Amino acid sequence: MNIRSDMQNNTPSSKVDPITLEIVRSGLVLTAEQINARIIRSATSILVKEMEDCSAALFDERGRLLAESASVPIHLNAIGSCLRTIIDHYLPLDQWNEGDVVLTNDPYAGPESLSSHHTNDVIAYTPIFWNGKMVAISALTVHHIDVGSMWMACRGWGVEIEQEGFRVPPVKIVRDGVLDEQLLRLMVNNSRLRDSLDNDLRAQLSSIALAKDDIHRLFDRYGDETMRRCFQELIDYSERRTREEISKFRDGVYTHEEFILEDGSMGGPFKLALKMTVRGDEIEFDFTGTDPQVRGPINAPLSATYAATFYAMRCVTDANIPNTEGSKVPIRIIAEPGTLVNCRWPAACNQRMVVCHSIVDLVMGAIQASAPERSMGDSCGCSYNDLVATDLVTGERVHFGEIVPGGLGATSLRDGASALSCHVTNCPIPPLEATEMENPVLYLQRELVVDSGGAGGNRGGLGLALSYEVRADNPQLNHTSQKSKIPPQGALGGRPGKSGSWFINKGAPEERELSYAIGDLEYLKKGDIVTQITPGGGGYGDPLERDVGKVVEDVREGFVSVEKALTDYGVEIDPRSLSIVSVQR
């Protein structure tokens, strides 16, 4: 990113040299990335070392966001709200000392659910001092596999937060550089994976502590006054540029609705409602009309709703805007307490991602009428594939879990991406070999699903077909996915993507299809084969306006069938030579 020309043209009175500002900005981002890299290299959990389910951020001495790692969006925009909760309601900044680490995983810390948004996400913060003064705060969220919930890895259809493991309110786990071993042992003792949790918690604390060296180098080079001016200018610049982007939207009030558990599972469907109001260079998202929280784990704490909404706005504003506190200032969010988007104790919330992914589609649906060129088709949504079993050799309980990718919606600029953990998840997909080495499964299939992407001038991304054999005793499957009855919708004439489904022993005489996209535990047996088909993304624009050459390429690549090329795109293709026979538009 290069912000120098903008700084020179629009802020001639700035006291910060633009080259210095860019060096500082890059240094802050690099520091956040290095925090994250350290935990990934040090962790033993496959969720962290392979899926990289962790995120880092840096704040100034007042708790304002300065920089983030390019990691998990649902983490990133919650770290700041959790920090504000800690400062305002637990530990004011004048009680933070050099060498301290403050930690929490409690979704209900503070008066609202503006903290960690599920118990498996432990967020840790440490103040950074330079010449005796606090100058910054480093932070890291890590998704730990098991924190002692009712079911391994916090799966199953829990109905209250107490079933989702231990909750640690904001507390100093390190004081003046000395680790509270008793508190650490208490946390570790409540996990089924004690060695892994012990290692990964220690690695998490070390990762943020080491960030002080990077920050010290910047302050040693530029000094306190220049660094603080840089911090302020970065925040001001983000706000200014975000306001410029919002001012390009058409003023007005726009509404949209999305439904979750729309196939009737667990008492659904449930409605998410949004009224988006654009006024000049500010935007308001009002979720009034969303259904009340439910007795189940899909409720979203307010911090998660904030994170999903801010993420959607970053998708439709200039990617070159630095991710700082300033980019949030022109955005207002209204969410009634006690609803699916702002749950209250004792609501369970471990699978709040079901709501959060739909919030992204909800925002994009409202944006279609205000800034259609910035919107996109719906995506595959949330998809988890979790297995708990007994290890054949040791007899210990083992957990196999993965985020299964699907198709993203198309945009006005390009086709939707295929087989990605979409939107607010954004985790890499581990290699099959790495997963098989540590888990009692043997993969049989992982391939794109032809014709699963919604047709459009730009085509939706393709979903994935995944199959594996269970190779452990007493396996229990917990499955979570979306868009099985109402598929991912297209935008501005684009057609829906293909829905997903789940099967046990597909193709065998005992084949059975799971009734719902989200369920409680399924009790399997060793040797069973689990098959998941994930949804494709919605298309964007009229399919008959798609470039004929792209249609031919899709057929040759196996993304679109010869039949769909004709019925959806009006392009007749010879099935043998894969050459154009006629164009019927």
Side-chain angles (χ1 to χ4, degrees):
M1 184 189 81
N2 187 336
I3 61 176
R4 279 177 273 174
S5 60
D6 185 275
M7 291 291 181
Q8 290 170 326
N9 293 336
N10 293 331
T11 57
S13 62
S14 172
K15 297 180 181 179
V16 181
D17 172 74
I19 297 176
T20 299
L21 184 63
E22 177 63 10
I23 293 171
V24 170
R25 186 202 66 81
S26 298
L28 295 172
V29 172
L30 179 60
T31 299
E33 293 288 359
Q34 288 177 330
I35 293 171
N36 223 41
R38 282 192 287 267
I39 183 65
I40 292 168
R41 289 196 302 267
S42 305
T44 56
S45 163
I46 194 170
L47 280 183
V48 183
K49 67 181 181 181
E50 295 289 352
M51 293 188 192
E52 301 181 10
D53 200 349
C54 49
S55 304
L58 284 171
F59 301 85
D60 70 2
E61 79 285 358
R62 293 162 53 187
R64 299 181 301 171
L65 179 65
L66 296 174
E68 300 174 327
S69 60
S71 306
V72 183
I74 202 66
H75 288 165
L76 292 170
N77 287 310
I79 299 176
S81 59
C82 181
L83 177 59
R84 180 50 50 193
T85 292
I86 294 171
I87 294 170
D88 291 346
H89 301 285
Y90 290 87
L91 293 165
L93 287 173
D94 60 8
Q95 296 180 18
W96 295 49
N97 302 314
E98 189 167 5
D100 288 351
V101 176
V102 179
L103 171 149
T104 186
N105 73 327
D106 185 3
Y108 297 114
E112 289 193 276
S113 52
L114 280 171
S115 183
S116 172
H117 43 71
H118 76 138
T119 53
N120 294 78
D121 280 349
V122 176
I123 312 179
Y125 305 86
T126 190
I128 297 174
F129 284 74
W130 182 79
N131 285 351
K133 294 191 300 184
M134 186 192 299
V135 295
I137 299 171
S138 62
L140 177 62
T141 296
V142 177
H143 182 172
H144 298 280
I145 290 181
D146 188 75
V147 293
S149 59
M150 180 177 67
W151 298 108
M152 179 78 160
C154 218
R155 297 306 181 197
W157 193 259
V159 297
E160 58 185 6
I161 190 66
E162 284 75 16
Q163 296 172 317
E164 296 186 346
F166 63 75
R167 286 186 292 144
V168 180
V171 63
K172 290 186 180 182
I173 192 170
V174 180
R175 288 179 178 271
D176 301 321
V178 179
L179 174 63
D180 187 336
E181 291 282 355
Q182 289 185 322
L183 176 57
L184 182 67
R185 285 197 296 270
L186 178 63
M187 296 172 66
V188 168
N189 194 57
N190 281 281
S191 173
R192 300 170 180 87
L193 302 173
R194 298 179 185 179
D195 291 343
S196 177
L197 180 60
D198 183 88
N199 176 86
D200 293 0
L201 280 172
R202 292 177 187 272
Q204 181 176 2
L205 304 180
S206 299
S207 295
I208 56 173
L210 290 171
K212 69 179 181 181
D213 295 336
D214 300 319
I215 299 301
H216 283 179
R217 278 190 287 271
L218 287 171
F219 273 82
D220 289 341
R221 181 175 182 181
Y222 295 110
D224 181 73
E225 184 178 351
T226 297
M227 287 295 294
R228 291 178 189 275
R229 284 205 301 261
C230 286
F231 290 175
Q232 187 62 53
E233 180 56 31
L234 285 171
I235 292 171
D236 291 345
Y237 174 75
S238 294
E239 179 181 352
R240 186 165 63 250
R241 290 288 292 111
T242 300
R243 289 185 182 279
E244 289 173 1
E245 290 289 291
I246 294 173
S247 67
K248 298 174 184 177
F249 290 36
R250 286 196 288 269
D251 280 5
V253 178
Y254 309 93
T255 60
H256 191 61
E257 293 181 349
E258 291 279 340
F259 290 88
I260 58 174
L261 280 68
E262 80 285 353
D263 59 3
S265 58
M266 300 300 181
F270 301 108
K271 182 178 72 173
L272 305 179
L274 175 66
K275 180 176 72 173
M276 182 183 80
T277 303
V278 181
R279 301 186 190 93
D281 61 0
E282 295 187 346
I283 192 166
E284 177 184 278
F285 297 96
D286 185 350
F287 292 91
T288 301
T290 293
D291 281 345
Q293 64 191 46
V294 301
R295 282 180 57 80
I298 62 170
N299 305 288
L302 185 56
S303 60
T305 295
Y306 274 25
T309 306
F310 286 137
Y311 161 79
M313 282 301 296
R314 293 299 286 123
C315 288
V316 298
T317 53
D318 190 343
N320 288 324
I321 299 173
N323 291 328
T324 77
E325 198 73 29
S327 62
K328 300 176 175 61
V329 174
I331 301 167
R332 184 182 183 215
I333 296 172
I334 300 172
E336 184 179 355
T339 64
L340 285 166
V341 292
N342 184 4
C343 58
R344 283 179 163 173
W345 178 87
C349 53
N350 184 266
Q351 296 207 51
R352 78 275 172 228
M353 295 291 275
V354 171
V355 167
C356 293
H357 277 280
S358 296
I359 286 174
V360 178
D361 291 338
L362 191 67
V363 172
M364 291 297 178
I367 285 174
Q368 280 187 41
S370 177
E373 72 285 354
R374 296 173 184 248
S375 65
M376 65 185 296
D378 287 358
S379 296
C380 58
C382 176
S383 182
Y384 297 137
N385 176 13
D386 283 271
L387 191 77
V388 176
T390 302
D391 186 271
L392 295 173
V393 177
T394 66
E396 295 180 354
R397 289 164 294 186
V398 292
H399 167 254
F400 159 64
E402 61 179 340
I403 298 164
V404 184
L408 273 68
T411 70
S412 62
L413 299 176
R414 56 181 58 90
D415 295 342
S418 298
L420 287 180
S421 56
C422 73
H423 287 316
V424 287
T425 299
N426 192 42
C427 289
I429 307 304
L432 299 184
E433 296 81 1
T435 304
E436 288 177 337
M437 286 173 63
E438 297 193 23
N439 297 282
V441 297
L442 175 67
Y443 282 93
L444 306 175
Q445 176 190 29
R446 179 181 273 180
E447 60 186 42
L448 297 175
V449 179
V450 64
D451 293 331
S452 56
N458 285 328
R459 171 184 47 75
L462 274 61
L464 190 74
L466 174 81
S467 294
Y468 62 86
E469 178 186 339
V470 179
R471 293 195 162 188
D473 297 321
N474 304 314
Q476 301 170 5
L477 172 72
N478 178 241
H479 70 288
T480 298
S481 58
Q482 296 184 266
K483 318 283 187 178
S484 64
K485 184 173 181 180
I486 301 177
Q489 297 298 294
L492 300 166
R495 296 181 185 173
K498 187 177 181 180
S499 293
S501 53
W502 290 84
F503 296 89
I504 307 299
N505 298 318
K506 185 175 174 61
E510 66 272 25
E511 172 188 319
R512 62 186 175 96
E513 181 175 3
L514 300 185
S515 301
Y516 299 112
I518 298 177
D520 208 339
L521 298 179
E522 296 280 342
Y523 292 89
L524 308 182
K525 63 181 183 298
K526 180 182 174 183
D528 279 347
I529 295 173
V530 177
T531 299
Q532 180 183 2
I533 299 172
T534 63
Y540 184 101
D542 186 351
L544 296 181
E545 294 180 0
R546 184 167 178 79
D547 180 83
V548 172
K550 290 184 178 180
V551 177
V552 175
E553 182 180 0
D554 281 346
V555 172
R556 291 175 176 171
E557 293 290 340
F559 300 157
V560 175
S561 66
V562 169
E563 294 76 17
K564 287 293 185 179
L566 178 59
T567 58
D568 287 349
Y569 296 102
V571 180
E572 184 181 4
I573 297 177
D574 183 271
R576 294 186 177 180
S577 65
L578 300 183
S579 59
I580 299 174
V581 176
S582 65
V583 178
Q584 303 174 20
R585 295 182 173 178

